[in-house]
C-alpha cells in the first residue's frame, strides 16, 4: 500500500530486486550513465590543438567557458544522481514524514 510520500512504512526489509525495478531507480541509473558520458566526452575530446600550436582550445568555438560549463554540469549531474540514488536506498528507513517531504521536494527542485 501507499505510505508517506510514496514509500512504505519505515523499517521494512530491503529487497534489491524490487528496488532496482522501480522506475525512478532505473531513471537515476540511466541519468548517471549519461552524465558520466557527457563529462568523459568533454574531458577526453572537448579540447583540441592546432598542428603548429601546442595550446589546447575548446571545440565549442574556442570558448573555454563552454567546455567548463559542460564539464561542471556533467560532474554536478553525476554527483546528484549518486546522492539521490542513495536517498532512494535509505528512503524506506526514514520514519519522519517531514524529512521525507524535504527529500522529495529537494529531488523535485533539483530535477526542475
Amino acid at each position: 500500500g501507499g505510505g508517506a510520500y510514496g514509500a512504505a512504512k519505515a523499517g521494512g526489509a530491503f529487497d534489491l530486486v524490487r528496488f532496482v525495478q522501480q522506475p525512478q531507480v532505473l531513471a537515476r541509473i540511466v541519468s548517471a550513465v549519461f552524465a558520466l558520458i557527457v563529462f568523459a566526452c568533454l574531458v577526453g575530446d572537448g579540447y583540441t590543438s592546432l598542428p603548429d600550436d601546442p595550446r589546447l582550445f575548446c571545440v565549442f568555438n574556442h570558448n573555454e567557458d563552454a567546455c567548463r560549463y559542460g564539464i561542471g554540469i556533467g560532474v554536478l549531474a553525476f554527483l546528484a544522481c549518486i546522492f539521490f540514488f542513495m536517498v532512494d536506498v535509505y528512503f524506506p528507513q526514514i520514519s519522519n514524514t517531514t524529512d521525507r517531504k524535504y527529500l522529495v521536494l529537494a529531488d523535485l527542485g533539483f530535477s526542475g
Side-chain angles (χ1 to χ4, degrees):
Y5 298 101
K9 293 182 179 179
F14 183 74
D15 184 12
L16 180 64
V17 175
R18 189 171 178 183
F19 174 74
V20 173
Q21 290 176 345
Q22 294 176 358
Q24 74 267 19
V25 173
L26 294 174
R28 287 199 205 288
I29 293 170
V30 170
S31 297
V33 168
F34 282 135
L36 193 59
I37 288 171
V38 167
F39 169 72
C41 287
L42 282 175
V43 168
D45 294 329
Y47 294 94
T48 186
S49 64
L50 300 174
D52 57 347
D53 190 5
R55 293 182 298 163
L56 294 176
F57 297 102
C58 181
V59 295
F60 300 119
N61 200 23
H62 297 277
N63 186 352
E64 297 298 319
D65 291 333
C67 281
R68 284 190 214 117
Y69 178 77
I71 290 170
I73 291 298
V75 169
L76 182 66
F78 181 74
L79 293 176
C81 286
I82 297 301
F83 172 75
F84 286 116
F85 181 80
M86 295 308 295
V87 166
D88 285 341
V89 169
Y90 289 109
F91 195 75
Q93 304 303 323
I94 300 171
S95 61
N96 190 346
T97 57
T98 305
D99 291 342
R100 284 185 175 196
K101 177 178 83 170
Y102 289 138
L103 288 171
V104 169
L105 289 176
D107 186 12
L108 179 67
F110 188 83
S111 298

